[in-house]
Structures are given as C-alpha cells and as structure tokens.
Amino acid sequence: MGLFKNSNNQPSEAFAADEQHRADGLAHRIGEITSTRDHPSADSLTFYKDAYRDASTNAAAHTAQPHH
C-alpha cells in the first residue's frame, strides 16, 4: 500500500500524474546509481527503490481503470 493512498480508493488523476512523475525521476536516479561505480548514493539504493515502488503503486492505484 502506498504512503499517500486515499482511504476511499477513488481515482485522482492529478495525484496519479504527480506520482508517475516522481516514479520516473526515481527510476532515472536508480539507473544513474546502478550504472556508476562507487556512486556516492549507492548505500541509499534500497531507499530509492522503496520510494519508486511507493510512487508507482500510488500512480496505479489512483488512475481511473477502464470498465469492461
């Protein structure tokens, strides 16, 4: 469950877009860290990955889903 998940699980496209933007930035940062030998943030990689998972989960949970 994401950190900012609203209690009624209603879509919030603006929040979803913000969280997707955050996830994209974190993914870029994770790529920088993992591709750079002895990167100064290497010890924090677990935290970046956790934040990415949180942002991605929030984005998905607050995006309106198609009805079948």
Side-chain angles (χ1 to χ4, degrees):
M1 177 189 313
L3 180 63
F4 299 108
K5 189 172 179 81
N6 68 24
S7 60
N8 60 6
N9 292 334
Q10 293 299 312
S12 173
E13 297 300 324
F15 179 68
D18 286 347
E19 286 296 273
Q20 185 60 55
H21 182 73
R22 183 169 73 105
D24 292 344
L26 287 161
H28 180 75
R29 184 72 173 151
I30 290 166
E32 289 176 347
I33 294 168
T34 58
S35 67
T36 305
R37 183 181 170 117
D38 298 324
H39 193 283
S41 295
D43 289 342
S44 299
L45 188 57
T46 298
F47 299 110
Y48 281 100
K49 288 179 178 180
D50 288 344
Y52 170 81
R53 254 186 311 280
D54 183 61
S56 297
T57 299
N58 284 336
H62 290 88
T63 299
Q65 302 300 314
H67 298 284
H68 293 250

